[in-house]
CSV table of all heavy atoms in Angstrom, one decimal:
chain,number,residue,atom,x,y,z
O,349,ASP,N,-110.2,-5.5,6.2
O,349,ASP,CA,-109.2,-6.0,7.1
O,349,ASP,C,-109.7,-7.3,7.8
O,349,ASP,O,-109.0,-8.2,7.9
O,349,ASP,CB,-108.8,-4.9,8.1
O,349,ASP,CG,-107.7,-5.4,9.2
O,349,ASP,OD1,-106.7,-5.8,8.6
O,349,ASP,OD2,-108.0,-5.2,10.4
O,350,VAL,N,-110.9,-7.2,8.3
O,350,VAL,CA,-111.4,-8.4,9.0
O,350,VAL,C,-111.5,-9.6,8.1
O,350,VAL,O,-111.2,-10.7,8.5
O,350,VAL,CB,-112.9,-7.9,9.6
O,350,VAL,CG1,-113.6,-9.2,10.0
O,350,VAL,CG2,-112.7,-7.0,10.7
O,351,LEU,N,-112.0,-9.3,6.9
O,351,LEU,CA,-112.1,-10.4,5.9
O,351,LEU,C,-110.8,-11.1,5.5
O,351,LEU,O,-110.8,-12.3,5.3
O,351,LEU,CB,-112.9,-9.9,4.7
O,351,LEU,CG,-114.3,-9.7,4.9
O,351,LEU,CD1,-114.8,-9.0,3.7
O,351,LEU,CD2,-115.0,-11.1,5.0
O,352,THR,N,-109.8,-10.2,5.4
O,352,THR,CA,-108.6,-10.9,4.8
O,352,THR,C,-107.5,-11.2,5.9
O,352,THR,O,-106.4,-11.8,5.5
O,352,THR,CB,-107.9,-9.9,3.9
O,352,THR,OG1,-107.6,-8.6,4.6
O,352,THR,CG2,-108.9,-9.6,2.8
O,353,CYS,N,-107.7,-10.9,7.1
O,353,CYS,CA,-106.5,-11.1,8.0
O,353,CYS,C,-106.6,-12.5,8.5
O,353,CYS,O,-105.7,-12.9,9.3
O,353,CYS,CB,-106.6,-10.2,9.2
O,353,CYS,SG,-108.1,-10.6,10.3
O,354,GLY,N,-107.5,-13.4,8.0
O,354,GLY,CA,-107.5,-14.8,8.4
O,354,GLY,C,-106.3,-15.5,7.9
O,354,GLY,O,-105.4,-15.0,7.2
O,355,GLY,N,-106.2,-16.7,8.3
O,355,GLY,CA,-105.0,-17.6,8.1
O,355,GLY,C,-104.9,-18.0,6.7
O,355,GLY,O,-105.3,-17.3,5.8
O,356,PRO,N,-104.2,-19.1,6.4
O,356,PRO,CA,-104.0,-19.5,5.1
O,356,PRO,C,-105.2,-19.7,4.3
O,356,PRO,O,-106.3,-20.2,4.7
O,356,PRO,CB,-103.3,-20.9,5.2
O,356,PRO,CG,-103.7,-21.3,6.7
O,356,PRO,CD,-103.8,-20.1,7.4
O,357,MET,N,-105.2,-19.4,3.1
O,357,MET,CA,-106.4,-19.5,2.2
O,357,MET,C,-106.1,-20.2,0.9
O,357,MET,O,-104.8,-20.1,0.5
O,357,MET,CB,-107.2,-18.3,2.0
O,357,MET,CG,-106.3,-17.0,1.7
O,357,MET,SD,-107.2,-15.5,1.4
O,357,MET,CE,-107.4,-14.9,2.9
O,358,SER,N,-107.0,-20.7,0.1
O,358,SER,CA,-106.6,-21.3,-1.1
O,358,SER,C,-106.2,-20.4,-2.1
O,358,SER,O,-106.3,-19.1,-2.0
O,358,SER,CB,-107.9,-22.0,-1.6
O,358,SER,OG,-108.8,-20.9,-2.0
O,359,LYS,N,-105.5,-20.9,-3.1
O,359,LYS,CA,-104.9,-20.0,-4.0
O,359,LYS,C,-105.9,-19.1,-4.8
O,359,LYS,O,-105.7,-17.9,-5.0
O,359,LYS,CB,-104.2,-20.9,-5.2
O,359,LYS,CG,-102.6,-20.9,-4.9
O,359,LYS,CD,-101.9,-21.2,-6.2
O,359,LYS,CE,-100.6,-20.5,-6.1
O,359,LYS,NZ,-99.6,-20.9,-7.1
O,360,GLU,N,-107.0,-19.6,-5.1
O,360,GLU,CA,-108.0,-18.9,-5.8
O,360,GLU,C,-108.5,-17.7,-4.9
O,360,GLU,O,-108.7,-16.6,-5.3
O,360,GLU,CB,-109.2,-19.7,-6.3
O,360,GLU,CG,-108.9,-20.8,-7.2
O,360,GLU,CD,-108.4,-22.0,-6.5
O,360,GLU,OE1,-108.7,-22.2,-5.3
O,360,GLU,OE2,-107.6,-22.8,-7.1
O,361,LYS,N,-108.8,-18.1,-3.7
O,361,LYS,CA,-109.3,-17.1,-2.8
O,361,LYS,C,-108.3,-16.0,-2.6
O,361,LYS,O,-108.5,-14.8,-2.6
O,361,LYS,CB,-109.7,-17.7,-1.4
O,361,LYS,CG,-110.2,-16.7,-0.3
O,361,LYS,CD,-111.4,-17.2,0.4
O,361,LYS,CE,-112.0,-16.1,1.1
O,361,LYS,NZ,-111.9,-16.0,2.4
O,362,ALA,N,-107.0,-16.5,-2.4
O,362,ALA,CA,-105.9,-15.5,-2.2
O,362,ALA,C,-105.8,-14.5,-3.4
O,362,ALA,O,-105.7,-13.3,-3.3
O,362,ALA,CB,-104.6,-16.2,-2.0
O,363,SER,N,-106.0,-15.1,-4.6
O,363,SER,CA,-105.9,-14.2,-5.8
O,363,SER,C,-107.0,-13.2,-5.8
O,363,SER,O,-106.8,-12.1,-6.1
O,363,SER,CB,-106.0,-15.2,-7.0
O,363,SER,OG,-105.7,-14.6,-8.2
O,364,GLU,N,-108.2,-13.7,-5.4
O,364,GLU,CA,-109.4,-12.8,-5.4
O,364,GLU,C,-109.1,-11.7,-4.4
O,364,GLU,O,-109.3,-10.5,-4.7
O,364,GLU,CB,-110.6,-13.6,-5.0
O,364,GLU,CG,-111.9,-13.0,-5.4
O,364,GLU,CD,-113.0,-13.8,-4.8
O,364,GLU,OE1,-112.8,-15.1,-4.6
O,364,GLU,OE2,-114.1,-13.2,-4.5
O,365,VAL,N,-108.6,-12.1,-3.2
O,365,VAL,CA,-108.4,-11.1,-2.2
O,365,VAL,C,-107.4,-10.0,-2.6
O,365,VAL,O,-107.5,-8.8,-2.4
O,365,VAL,CB,-107.9,-11.8,-0.9
O,365,VAL,CG1,-107.2,-10.9,0.0
O,365,VAL,CG2,-109.1,-12.5,-0.2
O,366,VAL,N,-106.3,-10.6,-3.2
O,366,VAL,CA,-105.3,-9.7,-3.7
O,366,VAL,C,-105.9,-8.6,-4.7
O,366,VAL,O,-105.6,-7.5,-4.6
O,366,VAL,CB,-104.1,-10.5,-4.4
O,366,VAL,CG1,-103.4,-9.6,-5.3
O,366,VAL,CG2,-103.3,-11.2,-3.3
O,367,LEU,N,-106.7,-9.1,-5.6
O,367,LEU,CA,-107.3,-8.2,-6.5
O,367,LEU,C,-108.1,-7.2,-5.9
O,367,LEU,O,-108.0,-5.9,-6.2
O,367,LEU,CB,-108.1,-9.0,-7.5
O,367,LEU,CG,-108.5,-8.4,-8.9
O,367,LEU,CD1,-107.3,-7.9,-9.6
O,367,LEU,CD2,-109.3,-9.4,-9.7
O,368,LEU,N,-108.9,-7.7,-5.0
O,368,LEU,CA,-109.7,-6.7,-4.2
O,368,LEU,C,-109.0,-5.7,-3.5
O,368,LEU,O,-109.3,-4.5,-3.5
O,368,LEU,CB,-110.6,-7.6,-3.2
O,368,LEU,CG,-112.0,-7.1,-2.9
O,368,LEU,CD1,-112.7,-6.9,-4.2
O,368,LEU,CD2,-112.6,-8.2,-2.0
O,369,ILE,N,-108.0,-6.1,-2.8
O,369,ILE,CA,-107.2,-5.1,-2.0
O,369,ILE,C,-106.5,-4.1,-3.0
O,369,ILE,O,-106.4,-2.9,-2.8
O,369,ILE,CB,-106.1,-5.8,-1.1
O,369,ILE,CG1,-106.9,-6.7,-0.2
O,369,ILE,CG2,-105.3,-4.8,-0.4
O,369,ILE,CD1,-105.9,-7.4,0.7
O,370,ALA,N,-106.0,-4.6,-4.1
O,370,ALA,CA,-105.3,-3.8,-5.0
O,370,ALA,C,-106.3,-2.7,-5.5
O,370,ALA,O,-105.9,-1.5,-5.6
O,370,ALA,CB,-104.8,-4.6,-6.2
O,371,ARG,N,-107.5,-3.2,-5.9
O,371,ARG,CA,-108.5,-2.2,-6.3
O,371,ARG,C,-108.8,-1.1,-5.3
O,371,ARG,O,-108.9,0.1,-5.5
O,371,ARG,CB,-109.7,-2.8,-6.8
O,371,ARG,CG,-109.7,-3.2,-8.2
O,371,ARG,CD,-111.1,-3.4,-8.8
O,371,ARG,NE,-111.1,-4.6,-9.5
O,371,ARG,CZ,-112.0,-5.7,-9.3
O,371,ARG,NH1,-112.7,-5.6,-8.3
O,371,ARG,NH2,-111.9,-6.7,-10.1
O,372,PHE,N,-108.8,-1.6,-4.0
O,372,PHE,CA,-109.2,-0.7,-3.0
O,372,PHE,C,-108.1,0.4,-2.8
O,372,PHE,O,-108.3,1.6,-2.7
O,372,PHE,CB,-109.4,-1.5,-1.7
O,372,PHE,CG,-109.4,-0.6,-0.5
O,372,PHE,CD1,-110.5,0.3,-0.3
O,372,PHE,CD2,-108.4,-0.7,0.5
O,372,PHE,CE1,-110.4,1.1,0.8
O,372,PHE,CE2,-108.4,0.2,1.6
O,372,PHE,CZ,-109.5,1.1,1.8
O,373,ILE,N,-106.8,-0.1,-2.9
O,373,ILE,CA,-105.8,0.8,-2.6
O,373,ILE,C,-105.8,1.8,-3.7
O,373,ILE,O,-105.5,3.0,-3.4
O,373,ILE,CB,-104.4,0.0,-2.6
O,373,ILE,CG1,-104.3,-0.9,-1.4
O,373,ILE,CG2,-103.3,1.0,-2.5
O,373,ILE,CD1,-103.1,-1.7,-1.4
O,374,THR,N,-106.0,1.4,-4.9
O,374,THR,CA,-105.9,2.4,-6.0
O,374,THR,C,-107.0,3.4,-5.8
O,374,THR,O,-106.8,4.5,-6.2
O,374,THR,CB,-106.1,1.7,-7.4
O,374,THR,OG1,-105.7,0.3,-7.2
O,374,THR,CG2,-105.4,2.4,-8.4
O,375,SER,N,-108.2,3.0,-5.5
O,375,SER,CA,-109.3,3.9,-5.5
O,375,SER,C,-109.6,4.7,-4.2
O,375,SER,O,-110.5,5.5,-4.1
O,375,SER,CB,-110.5,3.3,-6.0
O,375,SER,OG,-110.7,2.1,-5.3
O,376,CYS,N,-109.0,4.2,-3.1
O,376,CYS,CA,-109.5,4.7,-1.8
O,376,CYS,C,-109.1,6.2,-1.6
O,376,CYS,O,-108.2,6.7,-2.3
O,376,CYS,CB,-108.8,4.0,-0.6
O,376,CYS,SG,-107.1,4.2,-0.5
O,377,ASP,N,-109.7,6.8,-0.7
O,377,ASP,CA,-109.6,8.2,-0.4
O,377,ASP,C,-108.4,8.4,0.7
O,377,ASP,O,-108.6,7.8,1.8
O,377,ASP,CB,-110.9,8.8,0.1
O,377,ASP,CG,-110.7,10.2,0.5
O,377,ASP,OD1,-109.8,11.0,-0.1
O,377,ASP,OD2,-111.4,10.7,1.4
O,378,ALA,N,-107.4,9.2,0.4
O,378,ALA,CA,-106.2,9.2,1.2
O,378,ALA,C,-106.6,9.8,2.6
O,378,ALA,O,-106.2,9.3,3.6
O,378,ALA,CB,-105.1,10.0,0.6
O,379,ASP,N,-107.3,10.8,2.6
O,379,ASP,CA,-107.7,11.5,3.9
O,379,ASP,C,-108.4,10.5,4.9
O,379,ASP,O,-108.1,10.5,6.1
O,379,ASP,CB,-108.6,12.7,3.7
O,379,ASP,CG,-107.9,13.7,2.9
O,379,ASP,OD1,-106.7,13.9,3.2
O,379,ASP,OD2,-108.5,14.4,2.0
O,380,GLN,N,-109.3,9.8,4.3
O,380,GLN,CA,-110.0,8.8,5.2
O,380,GLN,C,-109.2,7.7,5.7
O,380,GLN,O,-109.2,7.4,7.0
O,380,GLN,CB,-111.2,8.1,4.4
O,380,GLN,CG,-112.3,9.1,4.1
O,380,GLN,CD,-113.6,8.3,3.8
O,380,GLN,OE1,-113.8,7.1,4.2
O,380,GLN,NE2,-114.4,9.0,3.1
O,381,ILE,N,-108.3,7.2,4.9
O,381,ILE,CA,-107.5,6.1,5.5
O,381,ILE,C,-106.4,6.6,6.4
O,381,ILE,O,-105.9,5.9,7.3
O,381,ILE,CB,-106.8,5.2,4.4
O,381,ILE,CG1,-106.0,6.1,3.5
O,381,ILE,CG2,-107.9,4.5,3.6
O,381,ILE,CD1,-105.0,5.3,2.7
O,382,ARG,N,-106.0,7.8,6.3
O,382,ARG,CA,-105.1,8.2,7.2
O,382,ARG,C,-105.5,8.4,8.6
O,382,ARG,O,-104.9,8.4,9.6
O,382,ARG,CB,-104.6,9.7,6.8
O,382,ARG,CG,-103.6,9.6,5.7
O,382,ARG,CD,-102.8,10.9,5.5
O,382,ARG,NE,-102.3,10.9,4.2
O,382,ARG,CZ,-102.4,11.9,3.4
O,382,ARG,NH1,-103.0,13.0,3.8
O,382,ARG,NH2,-102.0,11.9,2.1
O,383,LEU,N,-106.9,8.4,8.8
O,383,LEU,CA,-107.5,8.3,10.1
O,383,LEU,C,-107.2,7.0,10.8
O,383,LEU,O,-107.0,6.9,12.0
O,383,LEU,CB,-109.0,8.5,10.1
O,383,LEU,CG,-109.5,9.8,9.6
O,383,LEU,CD1,-111.0,9.9,9.4
O,383,LEU,CD2,-109.0,10.9,10.6
O,384,ALA,N,-107.0,6.0,10.0
O,384,ALA,CA,-106.7,4.7,10.6
O,384,ALA,C,-105.5,4.1,9.9
O,384,ALA,O,-105.5,3.0,9.4
O,384,ALA,CB,-107.9,3.7,10.4
O,385,SER,N,-104.4,4.9,10.0
O,385,SER,CA,-103.2,4.4,9.1
O,385,SER,C,-102.7,3.1,9.6
O,385,SER,O,-102.2,2.4,8.8
O,385,SER,CB,-102.2,5.5,9.2
O,385,SER,OG,-102.0,6.0,10.5
O,386,ASP,N,-102.7,2.8,10.9
O,386,ASP,CA,-102.1,1.6,11.5
O,386,ASP,C,-102.8,0.4,10.8
O,386,ASP,O,-102.2,-0.6,10.3
O,386,ASP,CB,-102.3,1.4,12.9
O,386,ASP,CG,-101.4,2.4,13.6
O,386,ASP,OD1,-100.4,2.9,13.0
O,386,ASP,OD2,-101.7,2.8,14.8
O,387,LYS,N,-104.2,0.6,10.7
O,387,LYS,CA,-104.9,-0.5,10.0
O,387,LYS,C,-104.6,-0.7,8.6
O,387,LYS,O,-104.5,-1.8,8.1
O,387,LYS,CB,-106.4,-0.2,10.1
O,387,LYS,CG,-107.0,-1.1,11.1
O,387,LYS,CD,-108.4,-1.6,10.8
O,387,LYS,CE,-108.9,-2.3,12.1
O,387,LYS,NZ,-108.1,-3.3,12.5
O,388,PHE,N,-104.4,0.5,7.9
O,388,PHE,CA,-104.2,0.5,6.6
O,388,PHE,C,-102.8,-0.2,6.3
O,388,PHE,O,-102.6,-1.0,5.4
O,388,PHE,CB,-104.1,1.9,6.0
O,388,PHE,CG,-103.8,2.0,4.6
O,388,PHE,CD1,-104.9,1.6,3.7
O,388,PHE,CD2,-102.7,2.5,4.1
O,388,PHE,CE1,-104.7,1.7,2.3
O,388,PHE,CE2,-102.5,2.6,2.6
O,388,PHE,CZ,-103.5,2.2,1.9
Side-chain angles (χ1 to χ4, degrees):
Chain O
D349 181 53
V350 167
L351 282 169
T352 59
C353 70
M357 45 176 88
S358 66
K359 258 203 147 167
E360 297 80 26
K361 178 133 196 257
S363 194
E364 203 189 329
V365 161
V366 160
L367 197 54
L368 212 51
I369 301 183
R371 268 201 227 125
F372 169 64
I373 296 178
T374 331
S375 51
C376 69
D377 174 33
D379 295 319
Q380 286 199 27
I381 56 159
R382 277 197 208 130
L383 292 173
S385 51
D386 291 336
K387 253 218 188 303
F388 185 70

